[in-house]
Amino acid sequence: VTEYEEPQAVIGSYLHRYAYPDWYAKHQDKNRKLKEGYHHRGGPVACLQLRGEYLYAAAGKKGFRVYDVASVANKGVSQRIISAPFGPGGHDTNLKTENATCMALPTNQPIAPDRNQGELMRVTNMEQPFHAMYNYAFITDAVEGLIAVNVNTLADGDPRNNILERAKTWNENKILYGARHISIGGHYAYIAADAGVVIVDIDDPLSPQLVGVLPVNNARATAIQFRYLFVLDDTGMRVADITLPEEARMLEDVHVALRDPHRVYVARTYAYVAGGSEGLVIIDVKDPAKPSIYQRFTANGKITDARDVVIGAAYASMYAYVADGNSGLKVVQMISPTSQPNFYGFSPAPKPELIAWYKTSNPAIALSRGLERDRAVDDSGNQSAVFGRIGSRPFTLEEMHKLYLDRNKRPWKVSNEE
């Protein structure tokens, strides 16, 4: 989706037009079709996540799989997505499950928790150790429930021990029957299942604890932003207050009607919903208690079966990548200097434009989130990235709470007298 040369302009974008005018013209002449893509059998994959040189995937009846994709852009390697780069004798990253429906990692930044353990390892930079959950990938299975897999072996530098085994399987009283999607915020997992949105505390990854269930019929998927959980069901999008996960509650009378929503991605003050035949549905969530549809974008009927969407930034522009079912991948430029003169603002109103597409060999149904590179602490106050100054650290959860919660653990409010 980008050029190899620096700057790596997104193909078909505003920058592409001015940095590489000849290539941009050829792209337009080809009806904006992308030319390069690679395929590896092993699906259907309902959820996937790239982290470092590995791609983690929930592949339904084929279970949980991890692929080596370090050479995906190396033309000297014949197989660019590899199941066992060093031979299956010392490399088996396939984990059999009944029906792996989704997976999530606590962070998608490349990490190696074992390298930051013990006081002697942190004498120089004085960083905090990783939380235990960062050792694991968490898989939802429609039959088995929640499965935790220790994936640290992929970060220890030894190619001879890359063999994955399940560390924990949890499905208390079958509460996770029909589990189909998972989002992780801090040490809490929010799992869409037949029972509703099930909140599970994974503070101890090998001893998950049921926190509660949000009453949502036929919950499909969720997305987290700060104090709110955005939930898709058969009828549209709803919102839950998760300021304190143990007291999570659905916001009453908050509902955006949608015909067939599949996945949601929240970026700043907008929620982007893959809305099936409605295309990319952009919802204004500046006030999460009063969401409203900003735009339904189908690119003049070219987006017909939106199944997933992720938002990514490149240089001064923002893009939506849409998994459009039988139509493959769509690349949508959301802002540019020509379409949105106020694009320098914190959350400029999107002005979507279809700039590229790629026809996949099978229906495109899921996408990997981009690198969340600027985050150093998770929703529970656990450090997840190295700080650049000796002795510095992120705020703890208790310190963060003081910024937005009062003594009663309720959000600060400005009185009329102030």
Side-chain angles (χ1 to χ4, degrees):
V1 297
T2 65
E3 294 290 356
Y4 283 101
E5 304 294 330
E6 291 289 346
Q8 283 187 267
V10 175
I11 298 171
S13 67
Y14 172 90
L15 176 60
H16 192 234
R17 178 180 180 180
Y18 289 99
Y20 308 107
D22 293 342
W23 294 345
Y24 177 84
K26 290 181 180 179
H27 177 64
Q28 300 303 313
D29 291 341
K30 294 179 180 178
N31 194 28
R32 302 181 181 180
K33 182 179 180 180
L34 298 171
K35 63 181 181 179
E36 186 174 352
Y38 304 97
H39 179 256
H40 190 290
R41 296 188 181 277
V45 173
C47 285
L48 70 165
Q49 180 59 57
L50 177 70
R51 186 168 80 180
E53 62 188 28
Y54 291 102
L55 181 69
Y56 301 76
K61 300 289 186 180
K62 294 187 177 181
F64 174 63
R65 296 189 164 200
V66 183
Y67 300 99
D68 186 314
V69 294
S71 298
V72 70
N74 185 350
K75 65 181 181 180
V77 177
S78 58
Q79 186 179 12
R80 307 207 185 198
I81 303 173
I82 306 170
S83 298
F86 306 105
H91 189 108
D92 183 4
T93 52
N94 297 334
L95 183 75
K96 183 175 177 53
T97 78
E98 291 290 333
N99 185 7
T101 52
C102 199
M103 59 74 49
L105 300 167
T107 179
N108 62 18
Q109 298 181 92
I111 58 172
D114 287 344
R115 300 181 187 179
N116 193 31
Q117 302 301 318
E119 292 300 324
L120 293 178
M121 299 295 290
R122 298 191 302 278
V123 169
T124 300
N125 60 16
M126 301 181 185
E127 303 293 336
Q128 300 175 66
F130 277 100
H131 187 280
M133 69 180 176
Y134 284 95
N135 297 320
Y136 298 90
F138 296 90
I139 303 104
T140 55
D141 186 285
V143 178
E144 298 188 66
L146 180 65
I147 301 169
V149 179
N150 191 313
V151 293
N152 270 353
T153 185
L154 302 178
D156 64 4
D158 186 350
R160 300 168 297 179
N161 64 356
N162 291 347
I163 299 176
L164 298 184
E165 298 178 356
R166 65 175 69 200
K168 180 68 177 181
T169 303
W170 184 86
N171 194 5
E172 183 178 298
N173 297 322
K174 297 185 178 180
I175 189 68
L176 294 180
Y177 188 80
R180 43 195 168 265
H181 188 266
I182 178 172
S183 296
I184 295 177
H187 60 77
Y188 296 91
Y190 300 84
I191 302 171
D194 288 352
V197 177
V198 183
I199 305 174
V200 181
D201 188 343
I202 52 175
D203 195 24
D204 179 353
L206 301 184
S207 183
Q209 302 295 317
L210 177 63
V211 173
V213 180
L214 293 171
V216 180
N217 291 328
N218 299 316
R220 293 187 173 189
T222 60
I224 301 166
Q225 187 186 69
F226 191 32
R227 296 175 42 232
Y228 297 97
L229 182 74
F230 297 84
V231 184
L232 299 182
D233 62 16
D234 289 346
T235 65
M237 188 184 81
R238 302 179 186 276
V239 183
D241 184 328
I242 57 169
T243 304
L244 302 175
E246 293 82 2
E247 302 176 13
R249 61 183 179 85
M250 300 301 300
L251 299 185
E252 295 183 5
D253 301 322
V254 177
H255 179 248
V256 177
L258 300 168
R259 289 200 300 267
D260 188 25
H262 292 274
R263 296 283 171 83
V264 56
Y265 191 109
V266 184
R268 300 196 175 182
T269 62
Y270 293 92
Y272 301 85
V273 177
S277 61
E278 291 186 281
L280 176 61
V281 184
I282 306 172
I283 302 174
D284 187 332
V285 293
K286 185 175 182 179
D287 182 350
K290 298 178 181 179
S292 61
I293 292 179
Y294 167 79
Q295 184 178 359
R296 290 180 172 89
F297 179 73
T298 65
N300 295 321
K302 294 179 181 178
I303 300 177
T304 60
D305 185 25
R307 306 289 291 277
D308 197 4
V309 57
V310 298
I311 302 296
Y315 299 99
S317 294
M318 185 175 73
Y319 303 89
Y321 300 92
V322 181
D324 192 24
N326 289 318
S327 298
L329 173 72
K330 300 291 173 56
V331 182
V332 181
Q333 183 172 257
M334 305 304 292
I335 56 173
S336 74
T338 53
S339 68
Q340 176 52 281
N342 298 317
F343 72 101
Y344 280 120
F346 169 74
S347 185
K351 305 295 181 182
E353 175 191 358
L354 180 65
I355 61 171
W357 59 279
Y358 181 79
K359 176 63 176 174
T360 52
S361 56
N362 291 291
I365 60 175
L367 293 160
S368 170
R369 294 174 67 96
L371 179 63
E372 297 166 348
R373 60 184 177 85
D374 292 327
R375 191 166 194 181
V377 62
D378 66 25
D379 302 69
S380 296
N382 302 302
Q383 189 167 342
S384 59
V386 175
F387 268 39
R389 182 172 296 175
I390 292 177
S392 64
R393 64 167 176 80
F395 287 136
T396 64
L397 183 62
E398 291 73 19
E399 291 167 337
M400 288 192 290
H401 276 174
K402 292 179 182 179
L403 299 176
Y404 59 92
L405 298 180
D406 61 21
R407 294 181 180 179
N408 297 317
K409 297 295 184 181
R410 295 290 180 257
W412 289 105
K413 292 185 178 180
V414 178
S415 67
N416 294 330
E417 291 78 20
E418 292 181 291

